[in-house]
Amino acid sequence: MPTITTKDGTQLFYKDWGPKDAQPIVFHHGWPLTADDWDAQMLFFLSEGYRVVAFDRRGQGRSTQTDIGHDMDTFASDTADLVAALDLKNAVHIGHSTGGGVVARYVAGAEPGRVSKAVLIGAITPVLGQIESNPTGVPLEVFEGFKVALARNRAEFYREIPSGPFYGFNREGAVVSEGLIQNWWRQGMTGSAKAQLDTITAFAETDFTEDLKSITVPVLVMHGGDDQIVPVDETARRAAALLPNGTLKVYDGLSHGLFATHPNLINADLLAFIEN
């Protein structure tokens, strides 16, 4: 399996498809998933002539299941190590949910010439949880409940999330995909429970306000209007207002996992943003 080694010796599994001289698009997965979550986007952009890269964050999937470093600064540092190892320049970085936070933190401090554009899909930016700097956020008790459920019966918890709010399959009239549910469960169960537990704190309590303010490249903020995991008013609308060069696109009625349930729609809008 292709891997790169980070500064602290962690091995990150990655996929790198397409012409090496083409513009790269780097995909950052959400919690508690893997690079496999981007299959529909990777195949689409590969067919459009792009170089597509996705990787499993530390603790997830095929990367080292280290018990340390499950915080946004380390995730951004790992991203920089991957970018340097593959010598990616003028790249578009696309992050979903927790991966959106990683993109914000990485892009804000990226070396000149490494990043051309960024996309935040259902992202946790600027702040998701109710911390001192964000009194209107999601109460931290919600995330403590996630930790309890994970520690008690991770396998069952990882069935409940995709079967219900993640893809909006708990909504009346929803067209339920057992394949998406099982694939979500499969990805989650390959990762480290310790890493996934620690990352709950990272995605709930990290404040990306200053990161967003400092990003000068164009950023597209995409969000489902019926996102039950990361509320759009608390995150996407505020994030877009903080970005110096941000554009907001809200999809009425769509869920947190909108790029998986509606890949044709999201892929077309991503392509338009990247090419314009």
Side-chain angles (χ1 to χ4, degrees), residues 95-147:
H96 174 243
S97 197
T98 297
V102 178
V103 167
R105 182 61 48 94
Y106 164 71
V107 171
E111 294 177 355
R114 293 292 190 189
V115 180
S116 64
K117 294 181 179 180
V119 183
L120 307 177
I121 304 179
I124 57 173
T125 53
V127 194
L128 182 58
Q130 190 178 71
I131 60 176
E132 186 175 355
S133 64
N134 187 42
T136 62
V138 178
L140 295 185
E141 290 79 8
V142 171
F143 305 109
E144 290 304 314
F146 288 179
K147 294 177 184 178

Side-chain angles (χ1 to χ4, degrees), residues 120-262:
L120 307 177
I121 304 179
I124 57 173
T125 53
V127 194
L128 182 58
Q130 190 178 71
I131 60 176
E132 186 175 355
S133 64
N134 187 42
T136 62
V138 178
L140 295 185
E141 290 79 8
V142 171
F143 305 109
E144 290 304 314
F146 288 179
K147 294 177 184 178
V148 170
L150 188 157
R152 181 176 59 236
N153 189 339
R154 182 169 65 137
E156 182 61 28
F157 184 44
Y158 286 2
R159 281 283 299 177
E160 293 172 356
I161 296 173
S163 298
F166 195 93
Y167 295 117
F169 292 158
N170 56 343
R171 296 305 198 200
E172 185 177 355
V175 178
V176 177
S177 168
E178 278 298 323
L180 281 180
I181 294 169
Q182 292 176 20
N183 193 42
W184 201 103
W185 184 90
R186 175 190 66 83
Q187 292 177 75
M189 292 304 294
T190 62
S192 159
K194 174 65 164 60
Q196 293 166 356
L197 191 75
D198 291 351
T199 303
I200 293 173
T201 298
F203 73 64
E205 300 184 30
T206 304
D207 190 334
F208 300 94
T209 299
E210 296 307 314
D211 300 285
L212 296 174
K213 288 180 179 179
S214 70
I215 296 173
T216 56
V217 299
V219 180
L220 176 61
V221 180
M222 309 171 85
H223 217 98
D226 189 35
D227 191 325
Q228 302 172 64
I229 304 294
V230 178
V232 61
D233 291 338
E234 183 64 32
T235 54
R237 297 191 196 282
R238 293 175 56 200
L242 290 166
L243 288 159
N245 194 2
T247 301
L248 174 64
K249 190 170 182 64
V250 176
Y251 298 82
D252 291 342
L254 295 195
S255 68
H256 188 56
L258 68 169
F259 68 92
T261 57
H262 294 75

Side-chain angles (χ1 to χ4, degrees), residues 68-102:
I68 60 171
H70 307 294
D71 59 84
M72 292 297 166
D73 287 342
T74 304
F75 294 155
S77 176
D78 288 349
T79 300
D81 289 346
L82 177 80
V83 165
L86 301 182
D87 195 24
L88 303 179
K89 298 175 182 175
N90 196 38
V92 179
H93 284 262
I94 301 176
H96 174 243
S97 197
T98 297
V102 178

Side-chain angles (χ1 to χ4, degrees), residues 43-65:
L43 292 172
F44 172 78
F45 282 101
L46 180 65
S47 73
E48 293 290 330
Y50 289 90
R51 178 182 182 181
V52 291
V53 177
F55 65 103
D56 296 350
R57 274 196 302 278
R58 64 169 59 214
Q60 299 300 123
R62 293 141 291 199
S63 293
T64 302
Q65 293 200 3

